[in-house]
Amino acid sequence: MTPERLRVKKRGLDALNGLSSLGEVAGNHSRFLFDFSPESIVLRITENPAPRILYCFDEVDGKITVSDEFIRKVDSKDILTEELFIGGLIADLPEVKSLKTKVCEPGIKQIVKECNAVISDKLKLEK
């Protein structure tokens, strides 16, 4: 997402907040209780136009893990650790801790809050 391309730049922050707080399914399916909020999240704030991290999760034996390709890109400095905001269950994985990212916490909402603060500062938005 490129907030500078939005008519209202602040809507980029609203989108991140929405992603971190997805509600339950509505309509006829609402009788089922299923949490759609993310279990883990990887955000990147960069000036680099190439995303480089379209898919950073893998499923191995029914468990979500960080993809080897994501780790390789960070290790090779194609993705800089200071650009990453990692949160949720993956924050405690050894391979994620070994990346030594600047912002890595178990809370999704806290990660989004910190990411929004950096974006607000970069875009000079009111908080």
Side-chain angles (χ1 to χ4, degrees), residues 87-106:
L89 292 179
I90 64 165
D92 291 328
L93 295 176
E95 57 269 30
V96 172
K97 288 185 178 207
S98 72
L99 296 175
K100 296 184 176 24
T101 59
K102 190 167 131 180
V103 185
C104 183
E105 298 180 19

Side-chain angles (χ1 to χ4, degrees), residues 36-105:
F36 282 91
S37 61
E39 189 175 86
S40 294
I41 194 167
V42 176
L43 301 170
R44 179 178 176 222
I45 299 176
T46 184
E47 299 293 326
N48 188 329
R52 303 200 195 283
I53 56 169
L54 295 178
Y55 305 103
C56 54
F57 300 115
D58 280 332
E59 186 174 347
V60 178
D61 298 326
K63 292 187 177 185
I64 299 298
T65 185
V66 178
S67 75
D68 293 338
E69 184 63 12
F70 175 72
I71 300 294
R72 185 195 66 73
K73 287 179 179 179
V74 175
D75 286 343
S76 69
K77 308 247 185 301
D78 281 344
I79 298 172
L80 302 176
T81 56
E82 56 268 14
E83 296 176 340
L84 292 172
F85 294 75
I86 300 175
L89 292 179
I90 64 165
D92 291 328
L93 295 176
E95 57 269 30
V96 172
K97 288 185 178 207
S98 72
L99 296 175
K100 296 184 176 24
T101 59
K102 190 167 131 180
V103 185
C104 183
E105 298 180 19

